[in-house]
Amino acid sequence: SISILPIIKELCSILCLQIWYADDAAAGGKLEKLKLWWDKLNQIGPSLGYFPNAKKTWLVVKPQYVEAAKEIFQDSGVQITSEGQRYLGAAIGTKEYKEMYVSNKVSEWVAELEELSEIARSEPQFNVLSTEDCYAVTLCVYPLTLLCLFLQTLTCFNEG
């Protein structure tokens, strides 16, 4: 991650907010500034061992800015949406997108806990043994840890 610092410092000259977590980058601001940021990242990144991937890059904009974003980012390969997208395990975008994302996450965790419960029902000794081997602990604690982290990333759905 320390090798990313020269990139971050170079990109600070462009007036947009940027967030980095290890080698995952995000930026926020006016579309024109974001395009400058993206172009600069693509220009300086490879020489420093950082290779931005446009296919995995999403620009989340308000509906009224979709057409302008498509024009400004044409031929960049960046994906554009007004609905929302996942970023570092959290959802950003419309209230509907965040609700759908949360619902899907909860369904995944319920399925994991149901699987653990089924193992405990059919093989109680295995469950005790696997607790000692951290298997059940991983299945049981990991979803709860994810839930706690996930809840910290959400903004209130009751905006108004």
Side-chain angles (χ1 to χ4, degrees):
S1 293
I2 200 151
S3 63
I4 305 278
L5 283 176
I7 298 171
I8 296 171
K9 288 179 181 178
E10 183 75 27
L11 292 171
C12 280
S13 65
I14 300 171
L15 297 176
C16 62
L17 299 174
Q18 56 179 338
I19 300 169
W20 289 78
Y21 181 77
D23 65 347
D24 285 318
K30 303 280 184 188
L31 290 172
E32 295 80 8
K33 295 290 184 182
L34 290 172
K35 181 64 163 79
L36 288 173
W37 183 87
W38 176 251
D39 290 343
K40 185 79 164 178
L41 180 61
N42 280 282
Q43 176 191 354
I44 63 175
S47 65
L48 297 168
Y50 186 81
F51 300 92
N53 185 346
K55 290 179 183 177
K56 291 170 56 177
T57 302
W58 283 88
L59 181 61
V60 180
V61 298
K62 293 180 179 177
Q64 63 267 30
Y65 297 115
V66 170
E67 290 308 313
K70 286 180 180 178
E71 185 178 319
I72 292 168
F73 281 84
Q74 70 181 355
D75 302 325
S76 70
V78 171
Q79 313 295 311
I80 299 169
T81 182
S82 62
E83 298 298 315
Q85 190 59 27
R86 180 184 61 83
Y87 179 66
L88 296 178
I92 55 174
T94 63
K95 179 181 176 185
E96 293 79 17
Y97 180 84
K98 291 186 276 188
E99 287 174 347
M100 179 199 64
Y101 185 81
V102 169
S103 177
N104 290 342
K105 276 292 179 196
V106 169
S107 295
E108 287 174 23
W109 293 329
V110 166
E112 289 175 6
L113 291 173
E114 286 174 347
E115 183 179 337
L116 177 62
S117 298
E118 189 58 39
I119 291 170
R121 233 179 269 122
S122 63
E123 301 289 340
Q125 295 84 2
F126 177 72
N127 193 34
V128 171
L129 288 174
S130 60
T131 301
E132 293 170 8
D133 295 334
C134 293
Y135 178 71
V137 171
T138 301
L139 282 176
C140 189
V141 174
Y142 184 64
L144 296 177
T145 303
L146 286 178
L147 176 62
C148 290
L149 291 172
F150 180 70
L151 291 175
Q152 291 173 3
T153 66
L154 295 177
T155 56
C156 181
F157 286 124
N158 242 351
E159 298 168 357

